[in-house]
Amino acid sequence: MPVEPLSQQDVEERLRELPGWTTDGVLLRRSYRLPGHFPAVALVVHIARIQEELGHHSDLTLGYDTVTIAVNTHSVGGKVTGLDVELARRIEAIAPGHGAR
């Protein structure tokens, strides 16, 4: 099934279920603070595993104790799709296990 861009209204509705996630109309974004560098790296590795499972990849930025995710779908002109929302949901589900807040 082809991936279709979501309307801005659909994106905003879906983000209500994803606290801390925002959109600028082009990307979904979220930053997490972690208890140190090693937990931040572990979260990045865990996110990379999920991205490989989905076949969909975000831009990840690793700081000393932070991880920032920015994602959209390039194949539909850099718009937000359900695939981006699914990735955000999966990340949101595993982040607390790494001590992310």
Side-chain angles (χ1 to χ4, degrees), residues 14-36:
R14 293 177 189 211
L15 285 182
R16 288 186 195 122
E17 301 170 9
L18 295 166
W21 287 83
T22 61
T23 186
D24 59 4
V26 178
L27 293 162
L28 295 184
R29 293 181 192 272
R30 172 81 152 92
S31 290
Y32 293 98
R33 170 143 288 154
L34 292 105

Side-chain angles (χ1 to χ4, degrees), residues 42-53:
L43 178 59
V44 167
V45 171
H46 202 159
I47 291 170
R49 175 76 154 189
I50 291 167
Q51 292 178 145
E52 285 297 306
E53 289 171 9

Side-chain angles (χ1 to χ4, degrees), residues 23-81:
T23 186
D24 59 4
V26 178
L27 293 162
L28 295 184
R29 293 181 192 272
R30 172 81 152 92
S31 290
Y32 293 98
R33 170 143 288 154
L34 292 105
H37 188 63
F38 188 76
V41 171
L43 178 59
V44 167
V45 171
H46 202 159
I47 291 170
R49 175 76 154 189
I50 291 167
Q51 292 178 145
E52 285 297 306
E53 289 171 9
L54 291 175
H56 188 61
H57 301 83
S58 66
D59 291 331
L60 295 170
T61 304
L62 173 64
Y64 169 72
D65 62 353
T66 59
V67 174
T68 302
I69 300 103
V71 65
N72 63 17
T73 302
H74 299 285
S75 65
V76 296
K79 308 257 188 208
V80 176
T81 68

